[in-house]
Amino acid sequence: MYDVNIPVLIVGGGPVGLSTALFSGRHGIRTMVLEKRDATSTLPRAPGLQARTLELFRAAGIHDEIRALEMGDSHPYFEGGIIQVNTFAEIDDAVVLESPSLDGPTVSPERVMGCGQDRYERVLVDKAREFGADVRFNTQLIEFTQDDEGVTAVAEDLGTGKRFTIRAQYLVGADGAGSKVRRILGVERVGRGTVFNALSIYFRAPELETILKGRRFILCYANVNGTLMGLSRLHGCDPYLAAPIYHPERGEKPEDFTDERCEDIVRTAAGKADLDVEVVAKVPWQGAQLVAERFRADRVFLAGDAAHVHPPAGGFGANTGIHDAHNLAWKLAATLHGWAGESLLDTYGAERRAVGAAMAEQAMVRNRIRHGYATDEDRAAMVDDIIITLGYRYSSSAISSEGTGPVLTPELQLVGEPGTRAPHVWLKRGEETISTIDLFWDSYVLLTDSAGSEWAAAATRTAKELGVPLKTHEVGPESELQPQDRDWHTAYGVGPGGAVLVRPDAIVTWRSAGPAEDPAAVLAEAVARAAGRVPATTAAR
């Protein structure tokens, strides 16, 4: 009846769609990816990968392949922050606009890195296919419908014009800001809409490195003649990336930016009229702030730019979308494998929409600061990058009631509270050194100490009764996992005999500061909630 039957159909083969396929495949779920482009990106877009994103790739087993893409040590460029000059030739007079905190040895086992989408997309494709994904380029979605049992889609091979039908249990729309999936669903977006228009100019200018005097930065803005142009080289400098603003309300349009005009823009920003410039590519885009009113419509989900868009200030876009993909992939896998309740899928929207909206607002704050019209209220509302990218808090039915609070806090608070990413602690396991973050991927994990034997016994019983994958690790100076850099009790906010339940995505879902009178009942309820299920003991009460 159908040409293809697949558990999960993914529309969009950019970083978000490919990451969804990769993470799903690592969880044993087959996917098909439809991508209109004929190949992966040839341009170094989205060039900054955050520490949390690297943690997710680490957990998925592709850390080495991704880290190998880094051209030298890109970390000093992040340390250089966001700066502003009149022209690049006046780099010695640069003013620092932002010096964001992005990682740290006590915060994450990973560091941020510079790498363009043109490089890491290739790895994502290869690894997604390695784990069973059917990735089809030059193929577009035509339409889809859904019923109680699944989704039926029609796709077209753009090379041959041949159409084929796909039957999937779930569909993920990761097809960008203009998402066809979102339009078919009729899901509206809320927000400020387009706040500026820009043109990405990819260019080569060998002498520019000399002009910049080796200064390292995330982004350098030149505001000569009252215009604003940002320069990025996190991905390297072959090509450079510049992004001047243009104004449609003044009659300006992308077609006006010929190669010659782009060359002149770069020369003016550089402060050198005879700079040798070669334009490689030009891509117009809009800086907008819009968030979908819902991220789930029955068996269809939205992720990445299809769900939320915001100005690139902060570099949250692709990273946030990859975090969406990870949150959704393990929940789809848990549901398809039969050990999670359907309500677990509802927590995707509850968790990721709140984070997406908060990140969009923070991107807007940064945009106003960088464009010179921020208010005192804007500056007061701005929180550090590491809080946005790694320190956010989830609130949903799968999180203990202790995990209530704002999505973003003024200070980084990774102290084991439910709803937050589990604290990073270096551990000795036999002859190897690992992070606590390395413990979380394909199951729930209960962390306790030598005084928590009753918790360990309760975990074994709960896993068997509920059919939920649950591993227990004992942490302590004489235990299986021995902390190396700090006391794990302090890090996770528990005392002797306490326990912490962590989800497959490294999010703390429940904790007990110490022993419990009935650990089996307490843990069974916590695990059932975390898996979107209700234990029989609770239902009978």
Side-chain angles (χ1 to χ4, degrees), residues 16 19-20 23 56 172-173 295 302-308 316-331 348 351-353 355-356 359 392 394:
V16 179
S19 292
T20 306
F23 297 144
L56 302 183
V172 179
F295 284 15
L302 300 175
D305 284 356
H308 46 76
F316 306 137
N319 287 280
T320 306
I322 293 170
H323 301 182
D324 289 344
H326 188 264
N327 184 290
L328 180 58
W330 79 265
K331 292 174 180 176
Y348 166 70
E351 294 174 358
R352 291 306 302 171
R353 188 181 187 283
V355 170
M359 288 187 175
Y392 48 78
Y394 288 153

Side-chain angles (χ1 to χ4, degrees), residues 240-261:
Y240 281 100
L241 166 60
I245 303 296
Y246 70 92
H247 304 275
E249 69 276 11
R250 301 176 188 171
E252 297 177 345
K253 52 188 183 296
E255 303 87 89
D256 297 334
F257 289 81
T258 62
D259 285 359
E260 292 74 16
R261 182 177 176 183

Side-chain angles (χ1 to χ4, degrees), residues 85 120 168 443:
V85 296
Y120 64 76
S443 72

Side-chain angles (χ1 to χ4, degrees), residues 61-135:
I62 66 167
H63 168 272
D64 291 347
E65 290 86 346
I66 294 293
R67 185 60 73 174
L69 301 175
E70 187 175 23
M71 299 176 66
D73 183 4
S74 62
H75 202 262
Y77 289 91
F78 289 95
E79 293 174 338
I82 314 295
I83 62 177
Q84 183 172 300
V85 296
N86 182 49
T87 67
F88 301 135
E90 300 165 87
I91 192 70
D92 290 338
D93 299 321
V95 175
V96 177
L97 298 178
E98 299 173 39
S99 296
S101 296
L102 298 164
D103 53 26
T106 63
V107 175
S108 174
E110 290 294 338
R111 300 198 313 170
V112 293
M113 67 172 276
C115 176
Q117 184 176 330
D118 55 329
R119 297 204 297 276
Y120 64 76
E121 268 193 6
R122 293 197 294 267
V123 172
L124 293 178
V125 169
D126 291 344
K127 289 299 179 179
R129 284 173 168 161
E130 182 180 324
F131 290 106
D134 181 356
V135 182

Side-chain angles (χ1 to χ4, degrees), residues 364-384:
M364 282 299 302
V365 168
R366 283 159 173 73
N367 184 69
R368 289 192 288 268
I369 290 174
R370 297 179 189 182
H371 287 241
Y373 54 90
T375 64
D376 290 341
E377 289 77 12
D378 287 329
R379 294 183 175 85
M382 181 174 164
V383 301
D384 210 344

Side-chain angles (χ1 to χ4, degrees), residues 33-65:
V33 180
L34 307 180
E35 170 53 49
K36 292 187 296 184
R37 297 174 301 169
D38 59 6
T40 56
S41 177
T42 58
L43 298 175
R45 301 173 178 175
L49 294 177
Q50 299 162 353
R52 179 59 179 154
T53 304
L54 270 295
E55 288 180 3
L56 302 183
F57 289 153
R58 178 188 183 110
I62 66 167
H63 168 272
D64 291 347
E65 290 86 346

Side-chain angles (χ1 to χ4, degrees), residues 276-294:
D276 185 18
V277 179
E278 176 194 356
V279 174
V280 176
K282 297 170 292 187
V283 181
W285 52 276
Q286 295 179 327
Q289 193 240 3
L290 291 163
V291 180
E293 291 185 332
R294 51 197 172 114

Side-chain angles (χ1 to χ4, degrees), residues 144 146 180-187 294 297 300-302:
F144 70 85
Q146 60 175 317
K180 186 170 187 176
V181 172
R182 189 186 63 245
R183 295 201 309 272
I184 292 174
L185 290 174
V187 173
R294 51 197 172 114
V300 182
F301 301 84
L302 300 175

